[in-house]
Amino acid sequence: MSNTPVDITRLDASAEGFRERLDSMLAWEGVSDDAVVSIVTEVIREVRRRGDEALVEYSNRFDRLDVTDMEQLSIGADRFKQAYEGLPEGQREALRVAAQRIRDYHQRQLQESWQYRESDGTLLGQQVTAMDRVGIYVPGGKAAYPSSVLMNALPAKVAGVAEIIMVVPTPAGEVNELVLAAAYQSGVDRVFTIGGAQAVAALAYGTQSVPRVDKIVGPGNIYVATAKRMVFGQVGIDMIAGPSEILVVCDGQTNPDWIAMDLFSQAEHDEDAQSILVSTDEEFLDRVQASIEKLLPTMERAEIIRTSLESRGMLIKVCDREQALEVTNRIAPEHLELSVENPESWAREVRHAGAIFMGRYTAEALGDYCAGPNHVLPTSSTARFSSPLGVYDFQKRSSLIQFSAEGASEMGKVASVLARGEGLTAHARSAEYRIRK
Amino acid sequence: MSNTPVDITRLDASAEGFRERLDSMLAWEGVSDDAVVSIVTEVIREVRRRGDEALVEYSNRFDRLDVTDMEQLSIGADRFKQAYEGLPEGQREALRVAAQRIRDYHQRQLQESWQYRESDGTLLGQQVTAMDRVGIYVPGGKAAYPSSVLMNALPAKVAGVAEIIMVVPTPAGEVNELVLAAAYQSGVDRVFTIGGAQAVAALAYGTQSVPRVDKIVGPGNIYVATAKRMVFGQVGIDMIAGPSEILVVCDGQTNPDWIAMDLFSQAEHDEDAQSILVSTDEEFLDRVQASIEKLLPTMERAEIIRTSLESRGMLIKVCDREQALEVTNRIAPEHLELSVENPESWAREVRHAGAIFMGRYTAEALGDYCAGPNHVLPTSSTARFSSPLGVYDFQKRSSLIQFSAEGASEMGKVASVLARGEGLTAHARSAEYRIRK
């Protein structure tokens, strides 16, 4: 392992050219190259055409298995109960507590149907219903995270989705017991041990064994992301996630070791992860840098952390609170840690962020597991227009309209004028039939 | 014009093979062929690279214009006020009433921030904010619908979006006064007379003149739809719409002329539009067919209506209410007209529909203009997983988490166990720092 100092980019928000430097450090485009697109296109076509047969073939090829039918790629509910019961007490309890807190928080996101009547008796409203069936993609092998199962499945469960199908590849046959235990805790109904573009295609279109779902959520590699983008429209999908990021804003009064470790906790995800610290206190940036040097050699994933910090990390000096908030809203971070006095007043001025962790005690890592809110959050500045995964992602709405005879007559006149203005005379006449003579 | 009988597909839901027939009639895939993809890819690349210069070039080429700079492709707020004031009184009033009703309904969709405290002082919640800037795409020429401006812009306005940018191409220089008037009524801030993939690219990435937006909504042709799909992730987009459809469920007690005209009002949109009638009363299907024959020759868009009805229309006989609802939920229609006694009890059993029009007086056309709910609705069975365009499409959420010292200490233990189970030790140590010794 390298022992040279960690070379993190230092920026001053008041310096000339800061905006351009910041933009270029933030820039990220998850591009599917032509080779990926062409493989995924073929996989989807084959799964649509040959169903289970194609799933078995691709699983053998891509996951280095040797199975002959879908029976061998299915896991029943009794098997994941067994996984849960086989866990050490401490893990079982931690999973249970996390699931309970996630459930409690998401319960508050449930949306209700509503309706109202106008004075002439016309009724307007919105009927909210849950999706029938949802598919959860869980990456296999090393990146199989049980917390990700909880975070994707529980909001669907709270929404009232009738059936939750999970897919998780088992490269070389390796099954992750914690993942199955999390499936048990989340009320997943069925698990197929398939992955990649073939699993996405199976969920989107259905095969003899895998039922077609209404929405697919969950993270995956570039093949999975490309497949999700391609089936979008046939089914719903969640956001296509980029690398994870954190922005820590600190007034210089938090223990620099804590802040360094918070930055590490993003950086350890992968080399493309991004950790940024913003402070009005230049000396504090030095102290955190010193903590980074001190603590890095003690980390299991030191090389990943170093690469991430050196290629995408930033320590940014700002002149005041206003500039700190300006930089924050420009970055629109996935995770925002406000390690400052009176963080609530700061939070009110944050316009774009996936999740806001307020105060010195609120390590972002708590939010990854058991705070309650979802850890599936908008990355790469997409918090400008999107939200954490939530119960609302598994509910949908139907408008309700019931005109009284009087209302239809009055509004028929308005609709008629507008429809004729658009040259749509069948629309106009349909409305005019309901005008009282 | 042809005078042969209108040849609409008749199906019986109890007949063998019904499900397959229905599925094949419903099948729709909006495929962007390679030629479209390659043109759109180039247009996006050029607009990103050359900005305004590329916009001017493409607008001259595709919209048959002869302009030299973006000044000539911009319309200021005073110009659309003038358009509004220049309308005949009847149209102005109709626009005003429609806008007011749409505003009133959408006001009820506004979501509020919320938070709660746990017994140890830990705060959890969700902060709801509006997007900063939104782009509305409005098709040009014949398909430029003022109602579409109202339906796309007003929810953004109600959400509190600070700036609304509209783009509308003006093929051969043709400006639609009603569209500008609707922009005025909806509080649109700026209009650029650009269209196609170049307009989508400009809104997604920004140019010297066109500011980058956070989300792009509004219908368009295959170039626009392909471009939206490509920029998805860089900006938010609404659903990619397929052809419009209506499913009318009738108990046989509504005037068959009314029902025929309701079917026409979908069919007149374009040849791919789909109109379906479901009834338990076979004789009623005959009566509606007779009304269709009688009324078709009187319609301005008779040829479009005929083609649509003959290629995609259906008259479906069902045996009872239960089967009618089963077929309805299978179709998951964009527009559902429940032309029956006691429609409210039916509506409660509808699981998937964009908008539900209840009772004999509630012509779908009223919903297109002035009922209040949005007319941008999920097509092609996507009501299984998506919703009408609404205020919620222009709001986004940030999770709020503030642990008390005690809460952080307790939850730090849980997070530590789970993080170590996932092999993420920086996460674990970040949480452990906050555990009280």
Side-chain angles (χ1 to χ4, degrees):
Chain A
M1 191 198 302
S2 166
N3 277 316
T4 53
V6 182
D7 181 21
I8 310 185
T9 301
R10 279 267 193 137
L11 297 177
D12 183 329
S14 304
E16 207 181 326
F18 166 73
R19 176 68 182 258
E20 291 69 29
R21 285 294 302 279
L22 180 65
D23 284 356
S24 91
M25 287 293 293
L26 295 174
W28 179 266
E29 287 201 65
V31 178
S32 319
D33 65 24
D34 291 350
V36 172
V37 169
S38 117
I39 291 170
V40 171
T41 304
E42 188 200 310
V43 168
I44 294 175
R45 189 182 58 229
E46 289 304 301
V47 171
R48 289 185 70 175
R49 199 166 65 86
R50 298 190 292 127
D52 285 353
E53 192 185 308
L55 282 183
V56 166
E57 269 178 37
Y58 286 125
S59 299
N60 284 337
R61 191 195 312 172
F62 296 133
D63 296 332
R64 308 182 306 284
L65 303 177
D66 184 24
V67 301
T68 52
D69 58 47
M70 283 302 294
E71 188 70 24
Q72 296 168 275
L73 294 173
S74 311
I75 294 184
D78 49 339
R79 175 68 182 81
F80 27 104
K81 183 172 184 198
Q82 182 194 321
Y84 179 72
E85 287 171 351
L87 287 185
E89 168 76 27
Q91 283 192 336
R92 207 162 60 222
E93 180 60 10
L95 261 190
R96 199 194 56 73
V97 170
Q100 188 55 49
R101 291 185 60 88
I102 296 166
R103 232 179 261 118
D104 287 349
Y105 176 86
H106 285 78
Q107 204 72 40
R108 314 225 173 194
Q109 291 179 333
L110 261 174
Q111 306 191 351
E112 304 284 341
S113 302
W114 50 265
Q115 56 181 55
Y116 60 100
R117 264 186 209 281
E118 301 188 308
S119 57
D120 65 16
T122 294
L123 176 148
L124 297 172
Q126 193 169 269
Q127 179 162 295
V128 181
T129 47
M131 289 173 200
D132 284 349
R133 191 187 287 132
V134 160
I136 313 277
Y137 189 96
V138 179
K142 273 175 296 179
Y145 294 143
S147 59
S148 176
V149 177
L150 300 182
M151 293 292 184
N152 281 280
L154 285 170
K157 200 73 192 175
V158 171
V161 171
E163 191 176 7
I164 300 177
I165 311 286
M166 180 171 123
V167 295
V168 55
T170 51
E174 185 189 347
V175 178
N176 184 318
E177 293 295 313
L178 267 166
V179 162
L180 293 189
Y184 175 73
Q185 260 301 329
S186 322
V188 167
D189 295 285
R190 298 169 72 181
V191 175
F192 294 95
T193 53
I194 55 177
Q198 61 273 21
V200 173
L203 291 170
Y205 293 99
T207 69
Q208 299 85 338
S209 304
V210 181
R212 179 183 85 153
V213 303
D214 300 308
K215 186 163 190 166
I216 303 174
V217 298
N221 62 21
I222 187 69
Y223 295 93
V224 172
T226 304
K228 279 168 68 180
R229 195 181 276 266
M230 284 187 187
V231 300
F232 169 56
Q234 166 67 23
V235 288
I237 62 168
D238 56 357
M239 285 296 300
I240 310 279
S244 195
E245 351 113 21
I246 191 170
L247 169 61
V248 180
V249 177
C250 186
D251 55 13
Q253 303 302 309
T254 308
N255 184 330
D257 285 356
W258 292 20
I259 299 296
M261 196 59 74
D262 296 351
L263 297 172
F264 286 0
S265 75
Q266 275 314 295
E268 76 172 339
H269 276 293
D270 64 78
E271 289 83 351
D272 294 323
Q274 187 160 48
S275 299
I276 307 172
L277 171 60
V278 161
S279 182
T280 45
D281 182 346
E282 181 122 43
E283 263 180 56
F284 182 70
L285 296 180
D286 295 335
R287 288 206 296 279
V288 172
Q289 175 110 38
S291 292
I292 289 174
E293 301 295 351
K294 177 185 73 183
L295 293 168
L296 185 63
T298 72
M299 303 308 300
E300 272 89 342
R301 296 177 170 234
E303 279 311 307
I304 294 174
I305 293 172
R306 174 187 287 272
T307 306
S308 157
L309 291 181
E310 293 193 337
S311 60
R312 306 204 69 217
M314 283 182 265
L315 305 178
I316 303 177
K317 162 78 169 64
V318 290
C319 61
D320 56 15
R321 173 195 158 111
E322 194 186 331
Q323 194 172 48
L325 283 160
E326 194 186 311
V327 170
T328 299
N329 284 318
R330 169 65 199 158
I331 293 175
E334 181 191 12
H335 304 100
L336 172 62
E337 213 175 281
L338 294 172
S339 204
V340 295
E341 253 342 271
N342 198 6
E344 286 182 72
S345 85
W346 286 65
R348 280 192 289 274
E349 293 180 57
V350 173
R351 290 203 315 282
H352 316 295
I356 307 176
F357 301 82
M358 299 186 285
R360 310 187 199 285
Y361 288 105
T362 312
E364 184 274 320
L366 297 176
D368 284 340
Y369 295 105
C370 54
N374 213 287
H375 80 193
V376 181
L377 298 167
T379 60
S380 309
S381 293
T382 57
R384 292 184 293 122
F385 54 84
S386 47
S387 301
L389 189 72
V391 171
Y392 36 78
D393 286 302
F394 302 101
Q395 293 187 304
K396 63 221 165 51
R397 310 166 179 89
S398 303
S399 305
L400 296 175
I401 310 173
Q402 182 171 17
F403 273 105
S404 64
E406 189 189 331
S409 182
E410 282 311 300
M411 284 306 120
K413 296 168 195 165
V414 175
S416 164
V417 170
L418 293 172
R420 289 184 183 279
E422 294 183 352
L424 295 175
T425 45
H427 283 69
R429 289 175 62 182
S430 164
E432 289 157 9
Y433 274 140
R434 276 85 170 181
I435 299 176
R436 282 184 186 150
K437 299 300 178 286
Chain B
M1 190 199 304
S2 166
N3 278 315
T4 54
V6 182
D7 181 23
I8 310 186
T9 300
R10 279 268 193 139
L11 297 177
D12 183 326
S14 305
E16 207 179 326
F18 166 73
R19 174 68 182 257
E20 291 70 28
R21 284 293 303 279
L22 180 65
D23 283 355
S24 91
M25 287 294 292
L26 294 174
W28 179 266
E29 288 199 64
V31 178
S32 319
D33 67 23
D34 291 348
V36 172
V37 169
S38 117
I39 291 169
V40 171
T41 304
E42 189 200 312
V43 168
I44 293 175
R45 191 182 54 228
E46 289 303 302
V47 172
R48 288 185 71 174
R49 200 164 66 84
R50 297 191 292 126
D52 285 353
E53 190 185 310
L55 283 181
V56 167
E57 270 178 39
Y58 286 125
S59 298
N60 283 337
R61 190 194 315 171
F62 296 133
D63 294 333
R64 308 182 305 284
L65 302 178
D66 185 22
V67 300
T68 53
D69 58 46
M70 283 300 296
E71 190 70 23
Q72 295 168 276
L73 294 173
S74 311
I75 295 185
D78 51 337
R79 174 68 183 82
F80 29 104
K81 183 173 184 196
Q82 180 193 322
Y84 178 72
E85 286 170 352
L87 288 185
E89 167 76 27
Q91 282 191 338
R92 208 164 58 222
E93 179 61 9
L95 261 190
R96 200 194 56 75
V97 170
Q100 189 54 48
R101 291 185 61 88
I102 295 166
R103 233 179 261 120
D104 287 348
Y105 177 86
H106 285 78
Q107 203 71 43
R108 313 225 173 196
Q109 292 179 333
L110 260 175
Q111 306 191 351
E112 303 284 341
S113 302
W114 51 264
Q115 57 181 54
Y116 61 100
R117 265 187 206 281
E118 301 188 306
S119 57
D120 66 16
T122 294
L123 176 149
L124 297 173
Q126 196 170 264
Q127 179 163 295
V128 181
T129 47
M131 288 172 204
D132 284 349
R133 192 189 285 129
V134 161
I136 312 277
Y137 190 97
V138 179
K142 272 177 295 182
Y145 294 142
S147 58
S148 177
V149 177
L150 301 182
M151 294 292 184
N152 281 280
L154 285 170
K157 200 75 191 170
V158 170
V161 171
E163 191 177 7
I164 301 176
I165 311 286
M166 180 171 123
V167 294
V168 55
T170 51
E174 185 190 345
V175 178
N176 184 317
E177 293 294 312
L178 267 165
V179 162
L180 294 188
Y184 176 72
Q185 261 300 330
S186 320
V188 167
D189 295 283
R190 298 170 72 182
V191 175
F192 295 95
T193 54
I194 55 176
Q198 61 273 22
V200 173
L203 291 170
Y205 294 99
T207 70
Q208 298 86 338
S209 306
V210 181
R212 180 183 85 153
V213 303
D214 299 309
K215 187 164 189 166
I216 303 173
V217 299
N221 64 19
I222 187 70
Y223 294 94
V224 173
T226 304
K228 278 168 70 179
R229 194 182 276 266
M230 283 187 189
V231 300
F232 169 55
Q234 167 66 24
V235 288
I237 61 168
D238 56 356
M239 285 297 300
I240 309 280
S244 196
E245 350 113 21
I246 191 169
L247 169 61
V248 180
V249 177
C250 186
D251 55 12
Q253 302 303 307
T254 308
N255 184 329
D257 285 357
W258 291 21
I259 299 296
M261 196 58 75
D262 295 351
L263 297 173
F264 286 179
S265 74
Q266 274 316 293
E268 77 172 338
H269 275 293
D270 63 79
E271 289 84 351
D272 294 322
Q274 187 160 47
S275 299
I276 308 171
L277 171 61
V278 161
S279 182
T280 45
D281 182 345
E282 181 122 44
E283 264 181 55
F284 183 70
L285 296 180
D286 295 335
R287 288 206 296 279
V288 172
Q289 174 109 39
S291 292
I292 288 173
E293 301 295 351
K294 176 185 74 182
L295 294 168
L296 185 63
T298 71
M299 304 307 301
E300 271 89 341
R301 295 177 170 235
E303 278 311 308
I304 293 174
I305 294 172
R306 174 187 287 272
T307 306
S308 158
L309 291 180
E310 292 192 337
S311 59
R312 305 204 69 215
M314 285 182 263
L315 304 177
I316 303 176
K317 162 78 169 67
V318 290
C319 61
D320 56 15
R321 171 194 158 112
E322 194 185 330
Q323 194 172 51
L325 282 161
E326 195 185 310
V327 170
T328 299
N329 284 318
R330 169 66 197 156
I331 293 175
E334 181 191 11
H335 304 100
L336 172 63
E337 212 174 280
L338 295 174
S339 204
V340 296
E341 250 347 87
N342 199 6
E344 286 182 72
S345 83
W346 286 66
R348 280 191 289 274
E349 293 181 55
V350 173
R351 289 203 316 281
H352 316 294
I356 307 176
F357 300 82
M358 299 186 287
R360 310 187 201 285
Y361 288 105
T362 312
E364 184 275 321
L366 296 177
D368 285 339
Y369 296 104
C370 55
N374 213 286
H375 80 192
V376 180
L377 297 167
T379 59
S380 308
S381 293
T382 57
R384 293 185 291 122
F385 55 84
S386 45
S387 300
L389 190 72
V391 172
Y392 35 80
D393 287 302
F394 302 101
Q395 292 187 305
K396 63 221 165 49
R397 308 165 181 93
S398 303
S399 306
L400 295 176
I401 310 175
Q402 182 172 17
F403 273 106
S404 64
E406 190 189 331
S409 182
E410 282 311 300
M411 283 309 120
K413 297 170 195 164
V414 175
S416 164
V417 170
L418 294 172
R420 290 186 182 276
E422 294 183 351
L424 294 175
T425 45
H427 284 69
R429 288 175 61 183
S430 164
E432 289 158 12
Y433 274 139
R434 276 86 171 181
I435 299 177
R436 282 184 184 151
K437 299 303 179 288

